[in-house]
Amino acid sequence: MSFILLLLLYVTRFDKSMCSNHTTRCNEKDRETLLTFRHGINDSFGRISTWSTEKDCCVWEGVHCDNITGRVTKIDLKPNFEDEPIRYLKGEMNLCILELEFLSHLDLSLNDFDVIRITSIQHNFTHSSKLVYLDLSNSLITSMDNLDWLSPLSSLKYLNLSFIDLHKETNWIQAVSTLPSLLELQLSNCNLNNFIIGTSFKYVNLSSIVTLDLSYNYFTSHLLDGFFNLTKDINFLSLSGNNINGEIPSSLLKLQNLQYLLLAKTQLKGSIPDGIGQLINIKGLDLSGNMLSGFIPSTLGNLSSLNDLSIGSNNFSGEISNLHFAKLSNLDSLDLSNSNFVFQFALDWVPPFQLSLLSLKNTTQGPHFPSWIYTQKSLQDLDLSNSGISLLDKNKFKDLIERITGQLILSNNSIVEDISNLTLNCFDLRLDHNNFTGGLPNISPMANFVDLSFNSFSGTIPHSWKNLKILYHISLWSNRLFGEVSLHFSDLNQLEIMNLGENEFSGTIPILISQKLEVVILRANQFEGTIPPQIFNLSNLFHLDLANNKLSGSLPHCVYNLTQMDTDRVYAWRPATIDLFTKGQDYVYDVNPERRTIDISNNSLSGEVPLEMFRLVQVQTLNLSHNNLIGTIPKEIGGMKNMESLDLSSNKFYGEIPQSISLLTFLGYLNLSYNNFDGIIPIGTQLQSFNASSYIENPKLCGAPLSNCTTKEKNSKTATPSTKNEDDDSIREWLYLGMGVGFAVGFWGICGSLFLIRKWRHAYFRFIDRVGDKLYVTLNVKLNSFLRN
Ligand SMILES: *[C@@H]1O[C@H](CO)[C@@H](O)[C@H](O)[C@H]1NC(C)=O
Ligand SMILES: *[C@@H]1O[C@H](CO)[C@@H](O)[C@H](O)[C@H]1NC(C)=O
Ligand SMILES: *[C@@H]1O[C@H](CO)[C@@H](O)[C@H](O)[C@H]1NC(C)=O
Ligand SMILES: *[C@@H]1O[C@H](CO)[C@@H](O)[C@H](O)[C@H]1NC(C)=O
Ligand SMILES: *[C@@H]1O[C@H](CO)[C@@H](O)[C@H](O)[C@H]1NC(C)=O
Ligand SMILES: *[C@@H]1O[C@H](CO)[C@@H](O)[C@H](O)[C@H]1NC(C)=O
Ligand SMILES: *[C@@H]1O[C@H](CO)[C@@H](O)[C@H](O)[C@H]1NC(C)=O
Ligand SMILES: *[C@@H]1O[C@H](CO)[C@@H](O)[C@H](O)[C@H]1NC(C)=O
Ligand SMILES: *[C@@H]1O[C@H](CO)[C@@H](O)[C@H](O)[C@H]1NC(C)=O
Ligand SMILES: *[C@@H]1O[C@H](CO)[C@@H](O)[C@H](O)[C@H]1NC(C)=O
Ligand SMILES: *[C@@H]1O[C@H](CO)[C@@H](O)[C@H](O)[C@H]1NC(C)=O
Ligand SMILES: *[C@@H]1O[C@H](CO)[C@@H](O)[C@H](O)[C@H]1NC(C)=O
């Protein structure tokens, strides 16, 4: 009886625990380990706040437990990129977390951890590791001294340490080849250039590996035949971005299960061997960016599994014709860019494939638009820039470009076409350097990059453009556009680059609300009214060009919050501008948008220049010329240590030129002419080296390179010793400030590898995504989905 009672009691208790909210209670030991791991983390975004508020560690963010044993089996703390802001974890990554006895999956990738703690983990292992999947890739950890800690992880199948600098670990090959179960090894961008082949070992036994990614380590090594001792099981191999410097090794062509062979940018020479036809399972082949030469073997055309083929940027010669593609019915992306092939595609050729991506950039296609491209009904991305095209079939062309939803790049051709009636659905549109005429096309709200510069577009900006909410780059430079723009651009809060220069736009300057703006070019238009003060609150702005307009009124006296221009905070990564400045030669004036510039010349601005303007110590070009500005130059100008070009000419400035101006040691251009400056031109490193024309038409100014001063003028100068002293002190102050800035710039310039420039990292990926090699990205996306299967 009492036994039954006991049993009953037991059952009810058991029941109760089963029905309570927490059917899984976390194991106390696991909890301890997690808390030790938690201890080093700076969770300033509150990503893992549940780790403090919840008792049961199995409900903690990112923690998964076995629902029967309650032991922690999986931790996934990869940031969620949907979050705004993205909640990165920072601080220390403590690998004590590997001591969790039942952990099989650990993903800490893509966080901002900057320190790694590896405390003699081996000794604390009392069990055999169950860890199968480990991804620590792409954090801010600058360096990992060794990989000894890997050795207990005997169950590991997937290892991803990409973007962790491992150059100190010269034995990485041994460390990974002792992992008995390893199937997949990702060591991309690890700076693995510090190992020597041939002395301590000749071959690496990676025979269990199925996926090997050693791309972008910039190591130099001939691929000795069989060096990696890869077995037939391997199906993914990427050695892109290393210096292999030889011919394509024939041993590679025997790896018949290879599905992906990525050898881009590896300095390969010689020709593609006929044996390439042996890779019958190949889906992705990337040989781009090498020095391969000769003809394309016809056997390439037998690789009927091929989805992605990239052989651009080599030195191939000879013809390339439909015959090369006769059996490639699965081809999905094709890159033949930067090639000298003679293209011999029959005019009525209907390819056996339907591409989604095609790049024929910088090849000789023209003058006719290649007609076979019109047959490609699922094309998402098309790059035909710089390919000599001027003639096209209007209707087929319009159908084609309206269908494209990815990148549409037709820059640098001679296309004369009116596309005003079209609605373009691509997100990246580059039609610059053609002769498109008529009105601007409608553009879908998905667009984020639009470059229509150097064309003959005319008319006003279409109403539909108001919906371009995610636009971050717009360039309409050098067209014949007119009308007001204030309504069109005021809502675009993602805008980073805005270039409307060299048109006939009128009305007031739009109030720009995007705090992301970095470049604003409204040069050479008919804008009038005053400069809105908001412009000086754009903390990311580093290039402001409002020159050659009809602006009036005085410069706003407000807080100048142009952080990019006034602090020595190191430059942000500014990928979006790359496109702008590579076209530098087209810029009619000598200013490069990459330079920190304020140019408001040739307007009708009046009043004094606010002191804040002279506190923007990072500015390299300051042009206030040809206005009606008044006032004196403050001594603060001496702090603008990066100044290379200063033009204050043709205004009504007066007073003495401050001695501190001689501190501007980078000054290569100076123009103070046509003002009312007086006194002696300060003596300074460069100040006398400028031509007299830099100073002329200031009736009361004297001293070299102008004429000698009279004694009267000299006396008036030395009569104020007290202000001179004050000047000296502040000069010193500015000098030190300047040195700090110079140091920071120099330091970052020299050591600026991707590993050090931490802040740039995420931006870098965004950059790759946006303007990077589209095919590379596509391959990667494919690769990743392939790997996850
Ligand atoms: C179960 O947990 C949820 C939130 O975690 C709470 O709102 C609820 O009251 C709990 N229920 C019981 C029965 O404890
Ligand atoms: C955590 O990170 C924030 C932002 O980077 C920083 O301000 C704070 O000082 C850090 N806290 C600790 C404890 O390191
Ligand atoms: C335990 O987890 C498995 C999958 O992880 C799930 O299918 C099962 O329903 C869970 N059992 C309970 C009792 O929650
Ligand atoms: C590992 O073990 C050592 C002693 O062998 C101990 O001092 C250390 O605290 C342990 N580390 C962790 C993270 O538990
Ligand atoms: C490995 O890490 C890199 C960088 O974070 C990432 O791009 C890649 O997708 C990862 N590989 C796998 C298979 O998850
Ligand atoms: C290579 O490693 C595999 C297991 O991963 C092992 O079976 C084989 O014997 C090794 N070969 C050599 C030559 O060491
Ligand atoms: C490659 O590995 C196999 C076994 O996995 C072994 O038999 C062979 O000797 C190895 N080759 C070299 C060159 O080490
Ligand atoms: C265009 O391609 C040729 C090879 O055909 C190459 O030499 C040249 O550098 C390429 N031009 C550009 C701008 O990439
Ligand atoms: C645009 O459409 C209008 C009305 O359908 C038509 O009159 C005009 O000719 C078209 N313009 C072009 C360039 O096709
Ligand atoms: C562009 O087209 C217009 C009108 O069709 C023509 O006047 C102009 O000369 C062309 N410009 C160039 C650079 O071909
Ligand atoms: C200056 O810009 C920073 C960063 O955008 C912002 O946090 C700050 O509030 C701004 N200051 C003023 C006075 O507007
Ligand atoms: C200016 O003065 C210097 C000596 O101070 C003299 O050598 C020079 O000839 C003078 N130049 C003129 C143009 O008077």
Side-chain angles (χ1 to χ4, degrees), residues 688-702:
Q688 275 63 46
S689 70
F690 296 111
N691 200 295
S693 62
S694 294
Y695 303 99
I696 56 166
E697 298 298 329
N698 286 288
K700 289 187 248 167
L701 195 62
C702 63

Side-chain angles (χ1 to χ4, degrees), residues 18 23-24 65-68:
M18 283 300 282
T23 48
T24 55
C65 295
D66 183 292
N67 55 11
I68 293 162

Side-chain angles (χ1 to χ4, degrees), residues 414-416 434-437 455-456 480:
S414 307
I415 303 174
V416 182
N434 278 286
N435 200 1
F436 283 96
T437 58
N455 277 292
S456 298
R480 299 172 189 165

Side-chain angles (χ1 to χ4, degrees), residues 639-754:
M640 304 179 87
K641 295 291 293 180
N642 297 295
M643 188 84 82
E644 292 166 22
S645 170
L646 174 64
D647 192 346
L648 305 178
S649 65
S650 299
N651 277 292
K652 295 171 180 162
F653 292 116
Y654 53 79
E656 288 185 3
I657 301 170
Q659 177 66 40
S660 62
I661 204 168
S662 66
L663 293 174
L664 308 184
T665 48
F666 293 127
L667 208 56
Y669 178 81
L670 175 71
N671 195 348
L672 304 177
S673 64
Y674 294 90
N675 277 293
N676 292 314
F677 289 117
D678 57 35
I680 306 174
I681 295 172
I683 309 290
T685 356
Q686 280 116 315
L687 296 177
Q688 275 63 46
S689 70
F690 296 111
N691 200 295
S693 62
S694 294
Y695 303 99
I696 56 166
E697 298 298 329
N698 286 288
K700 289 187 248 167
L701 195 62
C702 63
L706 296 181
S707 57
N708 285 347
C709 299
T710 63
T711 29
K712 193 178 133 211
E713 283 161 338
K714 276 183 191 154
N715 287 343
S716 79
K717 173 80 182 176
T718 47
T720 50
S722 61
T723 56
K724 191 162 193 302
N725 264 343
E726 192 187 305
D727 232 32
D728 277 353
D729 279 351
S730 58
I731 285 172
R732 207 169 301 124
E733 194 181 300
W734 288 116
L735 187 66
Y736 289 138
L737 181 65
M739 271 167 58
V741 173
F743 173 74
V745 171
F747 176 78
W748 287 101
I750 293 160
C751 308
S753 83
L754 196 61

Side-chain angles (χ1 to χ4, degrees), residues 377-400:
K377 302 294 181 200
S378 13
L379 210 53
Q380 303 291 298
D381 300 289
L382 173 64
D383 189 345
L384 269 173
S385 54
N386 198 16
S387 56
I389 290 167
S390 55
L391 302 171
L392 33 85
D393 180 318
K394 280 188 175 111
N395 292 326
K396 287 179 179 171
F397 176 74
K398 287 175 179 176
D399 284 350
L400 178 79

Side-chain angles (χ1 to χ4, degrees), residues 31 41 64 75 177 179 258 339 403 428 537 549 603 638 727 766:
R31 193 163 181 275
I41 296 179
H64 303 264
I75 297 177
S177 58
L179 295 170
L258 264 184
S339 301
R403 277 200 305 268
D428 187 340
N537 200 16
N549 278 291
N603 280 290
D727 232 32
R766 188 190 61 170

Side-chain angles (χ1 to χ4, degrees), residues 398 418 420-421:
K398 287 175 179 176
D418 182 336
S420 55
N421 280 359

Side-chain angles (χ1 to χ4, degrees), residues 203-205 207 225-231:
Y203 296 101
V204 188
N205 189 1
S207 55
D225 262 3
F227 161 57
F228 288 113
N229 200 5
L230 300 164
T231 62

